[in-house]
Amino acid sequence: MMTDLLNMLQQFFGPLWPVVWGLAKIIAIIAPLMIGVAYLTLFERKVIGFMQVRIGPNRVGYYGLLQPIADGVKLLFKEIILPTAANKFLFLLAPVLVFAPALAAWAVIPFDLNLVLADIDAGLLYILAMTSIGVYGVIIAGWASNSKYAFLGSLRSAAQIVSYEIAMGFALVGVLMCANSLNLGQIVQGQAGGFWHWYFIPLFPLFIVYFISAVAETNRAPFDVAEGESEIVAGFHVEYSGMAFAVFFLAEYANMILVATLAATMFLGGWLSPLPSLLPDSFLWLALKITVMLFFVIWLRATFPRYRYDQIMRLGWKVFIPVTLVWIVVVGAMMQTRWAYLFH
Amino acid sequence: MAMIFQDVVFYVLAAILVFAGLRVITARNPVHAALFLVLAFFTAAGIWLLLEAEFLAIALVMVYVGAVMVLFLFVVMMLDINLEQLRKNFWDAIIPALIVGGLIFAEMVMILVSKKFGGLVPATHDANYSNTAALGNLLYTDYVLPFEIAAVVLLVAIVAAIALTLRRRANAKRIDPADQIHVKRADRIRMVNMPVEKDAPVEGEKT
């Protein structure tokens, strides 16, 4: 039935078929992602509300369920103000540059066995490359706004992202040592056989470093000095309004879901079931793991005050990088001994 | 069909690359020039992907686009550059620039027309071929010594850069993070028991 339909469509589109089919798959990933982003904002507001003994949004729709849509519509109808001294082209390009890499990285994420848009060998490197491009949007936004606050925010963000990228990259080196592959699908399959085979156990220090670095990379509290409301108003996006601001907002949440997905894929077994003999592997496991990771990110925001800028730099350079370097050596050394099976 | 498609992609990328490269040297604003350099790196990575050098292509994006150019932009944006002053003596440098440019051009031509280079089409591999693994095998077997030497050179450069820029200023205020972490409540606040100073207002009395 399904294959018949696909064959019919294939004949209809002829040589254009690969393009159409590729676009269909991209939409099948991005549309749920956008809905996820919208409802992540509600999830965050509700969770933080409950943690602070408030109710959170509950006016729009039953239980506040239409709140993200109301927010989106409101921002859509607001005016986009262009500062007169701003560089117009770069000012409008910046939100796109933040958002596009956050979406592009999803191309290599495996959702289930063989369910991946682009099954490339260097998937892990591709993800690192894509996430490192996102910082350009922030830098360009700060510079093109021609505002001191925005510029300070973008400089902070640039320094922070470059610093934490190193720790994050080293944490992932541990994963690829265990998995013997850069392909995300093979990394997940390397963790098959129950939750005690997942990489977060042998690589626990790297898992913690990765998770905290990921929070820092996405500029989330307690690492949100790039926005730093109390010091530099709203940092790099202080001059943005309306939909241009909304795109920054969407990119931040899309990035949050991305790093949570990466943590779930590389350390928590992706789509694999924790008890394979009892429960089948399924995409739902991945969704559950992503949700748990996102809950942790939100929990961090509700709990910790903002780091001071020099403390952020110290944590990245003097704590995380040494921790990852030591643990990579430990993993490499242990792999030469008879306990090597622990690391596979 | 597939070959034609790849050719089209190559020429589109090459056109963007040449345009970006030209704009790097002709853009008036240094920040724009740096951004065009980012575009040039990114497009070059695309061309490398066409050559099935996916590891190098992604490494180029990761290292040059993701790190080096970010810091470069950081510096260029911070500088207070006077464009007029910068361009004042621009044409004085035309003779050395022509010599250097001409030499580079001549060298490129010599390499491109040589028999070893011309018509060399990289071998295509099947989908299972891992570029990264092949590169790793070569780097850690045949080329292990040059690779290690390059690493040592880089390490020396890092140490030298830090040694050159690290200045301990006498009047700089520093905080020891260990002291900060071990601070106790008693170090920072003192609980004072204060008796109520005012009696409750009596009925009918103006306050």
Side-chain angles (χ1 to χ4, degrees), chain A residues 181-331:
Chain A
S181 171
L182 285 167
N183 181 306
L184 290 177
Q186 285 174 20
I187 289 175
V188 173
Q189 278 163 17
Q191 305 175 62
F195 69 87
W196 53 92
H197 288 283
W198 296 353
Y199 290 147
F200 81 98
I201 296 173
L203 302 177
F204 191 70
L206 298 184
F207 175 53
I208 297 296
V209 167
Y210 173 79
F211 180 65
I212 301 176
S213 305
V215 175
E217 283 266 299
T218 47
N219 281 331
R220 293 279 305 173
F223 300 98
D224 57 345
V225 286
E227 288 176 41
E229 293 91 343
S230 55
E231 304 145 27
I232 49 172
V233 200
F236 61 92
H237 58 51
V238 64
E239 302 291 344
Y240 284 85
S241 60
M243 210 51 210
F245 168 76
V247 171
F248 275 117
F249 206 72
L250 288 176
E252 179 181 330
Y253 283 81
N255 268 322
M256 270 169 75
I257 301 182
L258 178 70
V259 293
T261 310
L262 286 177
T265 307
M266 281 180 287
F267 293 98
L268 300 174
W271 68 80
L272 298 172
S273 146
L275 295 165
S277 48
L278 294 175
L279 304 158
D281 299 338
S282 151
F283 166 70
L284 294 176
W285 287 114
L286 181 64
L288 181 71
K289 288 165 189 170
I290 295 171
T291 314
V292 171
M293 295 312 290
L294 286 172
F295 178 77
F296 273 103
V297 175
I298 292 167
W299 192 0
L300 281 181
R301 180 178 162 191
T303 310
F304 292 114
R306 185 179 300 130
Y307 261 110
R308 219 172 49 212
Y309 182 71
D310 62 311
Q311 291 170 329
I312 290 187
M313 286 297 149
R314 178 180 168 271
L315 185 70
W317 288 99
K318 293 190 177 173
V319 180
F320 282 174
I321 293 177
V323 165
T324 50
L325 284 176
V326 166
W327 203 254
I328 286 172
V329 174
V330 168
V331 171

Side-chain angles (χ1 to χ4, degrees), chain B residues 2-3 6 12 26 29 58 61 64 74 80-81 98 103 111 119 126 132 136 145 157 164 179 183 194 201-202:
Chain B
M3 222 40 221
Q6 283 193 3
V12 169
T26 54
N29 193 323
I58 297 174
V61 173
Y64 282 91
F74 192 107
D80 185 21
I81 297 169
L98 274 180
L103 275 176
I111 291 173
D126 59 335
T132 318
L145 278 179
L164 281 175
D179 284 349
V183 83
M194 289 181 76
V202 184

Side-chain angles (χ1 to χ4, degrees), chain B residues 58-130:
Chain B
I58 297 174
L60 178 72
V61 173
M62 230 166 80
V63 176
Y64 282 91
V65 177
V68 174
M69 285 312 292
V70 172
L71 296 176
F72 206 82
L73 262 182
F74 192 107
V75 174
V76 171
M77 284 176 176
M78 293 266 274
L79 294 176
D80 185 21
I81 297 169
N82 187 342
L83 285 179
E84 294 299 310
Q85 200 139 34
L86 201 69
R87 303 188 78 84
K88 208 170 65 185
N89 298 325
F90 186 73
W91 289 108
D92 295 358
I94 187 75
I95 293 163
L98 274 180
I99 295 171
V100 171
L103 275 176
I104 292 175
F105 184 75
E107 285 169 1
M108 290 293 280
V109 168
M110 274 153 67
I111 291 173
L112 288 176
V113 299
S114 78
K115 288 210 173 60
K116 284 200 174 150
F117 197 85
L120 196 71
V121 179
T124 51
H125 300 280
D126 59 335
N128 287 326
Y129 175 76
S130 173

Side-chain angles (χ1 to χ4, degrees), chain A:
Chain A
M1 175 62 202
M2 192 65 194
T3 43
D4 285 349
L5 189 69
L6 281 181
N7 279 335
M8 212 178 75
L9 284 170
Q10 195 162 3
Q11 274 168 10
F12 178 73
F13 285 109
L16 279 176
W17 174 244
V19 180
V20 175
W21 185 227
L23 276 177
K25 287 196 273 193
I26 290 171
I27 292 169
I29 292 175
I30 291 192
L33 177 66
M34 287 295 98
I35 296 170
V37 165
Y39 278 91
L40 179 59
T41 61
L42 180 68
F43 180 62
E44 174 173 40
R45 291 170 71 176
K46 277 285 182 191
V47 167
I48 292 185
F50 288 136
M51 284 181 177
Q52 297 169 347
V53 205
R54 296 183 283 114
I55 296 169
N58 67 345
R59 295 287 106 178
V60 190
Y62 179 69
Y63 204 66
L65 278 177
L66 294 178
Q67 184 70 43
I69 293 157
D71 287 343
V73 171
K74 183 194 83 171
L75 284 169
L76 205 63
F77 281 109
K78 282 199 167 185
E79 185 189 357
I80 297 177
I81 298 165
L82 291 171
T84 42
N87 185 319
K88 302 233 162 31
F89 177 72
L90 288 179
F91 187 79
L92 291 176
L93 182 73
V96 180
L97 280 183
V98 176
F99 197 39
L103 296 183
W106 283 88
V108 295
I109 303 275
F111 296 99
D112 206 335
L113 194 62
N114 298 328
L115 194 63
V116 53
L117 180 64
D119 191 18
I120 62 173
D121 252 331
L124 192 60
L125 282 174
Y126 170 81
I127 294 247
L128 279 175
M130 280 301 128
T131 49
S132 65
I133 293 174
V135 66
Y136 278 101
V138 175
I139 298 180
I140 292 173
W143 185 78
S145 300
N146 208 356
S147 148
K148 285 193 180 65
Y149 294 119
F151 187 53
L152 280 174
S154 70
L155 289 186
R156 286 179 175 196
S157 171
Q160 178 181 328
I161 289 181
V162 168
S163 312
Y164 277 83
E165 218 160 58
I166 302 170
M168 201 165 154
F170 275 138
L172 298 182
V173 166
V175 174
L176 67 94
M177 281 168 79
C178 284
N180 259 328
S181 171
L182 285 167
N183 181 306
L184 290 177
Q186 285 174 20
I187 289 175
V188 173
Q189 278 163 17
Q191 305 175 62
F195 69 87
W196 53 92
H197 288 283
W198 296 353
Y199 290 147
F200 81 98
I201 296 173
L203 302 177
F204 191 70
L206 298 184
F207 175 53
I208 297 296
V209 167
Y210 173 79
F211 180 65
I212 301 176
S213 305
V215 175
E217 283 266 299
T218 47
N219 281 331
R220 293 279 305 173
F223 300 98
D224 57 345
V225 286
E227 288 176 41
E229 293 91 343
S230 55
E231 304 145 27
I232 49 172
V233 200
F236 61 92
H237 58 51
V238 64
E239 302 291 344
Y240 284 85
S241 60
M243 210 51 210
F245 168 76
V247 171
F248 275 117
F249 206 72
L250 288 176
E252 179 181 330
Y253 283 81
N255 268 322
M256 270 169 75
I257 301 182
L258 178 70
V259 293
T261 310
L262 286 177
T265 307
M266 281 180 287
F267 293 98
L268 300 174
W271 68 80
L272 298 172
S273 146
L275 295 165
S277 48
L278 294 175
L279 304 158
D281 299 338
S282 151
F283 166 70
L284 294 176
W285 287 114
L286 181 64
L288 181 71
K289 288 165 189 170
I290 295 171
T291 314
V292 171
M293 295 312 290
L294 286 172
F295 178 77
F296 273 103
V297 175
I298 292 167
W299 192 0
L300 281 181
R301 180 178 162 191
T303 310
F304 292 114
R306 185 179 300 130
Y307 261 110
R308 219 172 49 212
Y309 182 71
D310 62 311
Q311 291 170 329
I312 290 187
M313 286 297 149
R314 178 180 168 271
L315 185 70
W317 288 99
K318 293 190 177 173
V319 180
F320 282 174
I321 293 177
V323 165
T324 50
L325 284 176
V326 166
W327 203 254
I328 286 172
V329 174
V330 168
V331 171
M334 289 296 276
M335 279 181 163
Q336 308 304 318
T337 66
R338 61 200 169 90
W339 294 287
Y341 68 90
L342 290 172
F343 292 91
H344 281 296

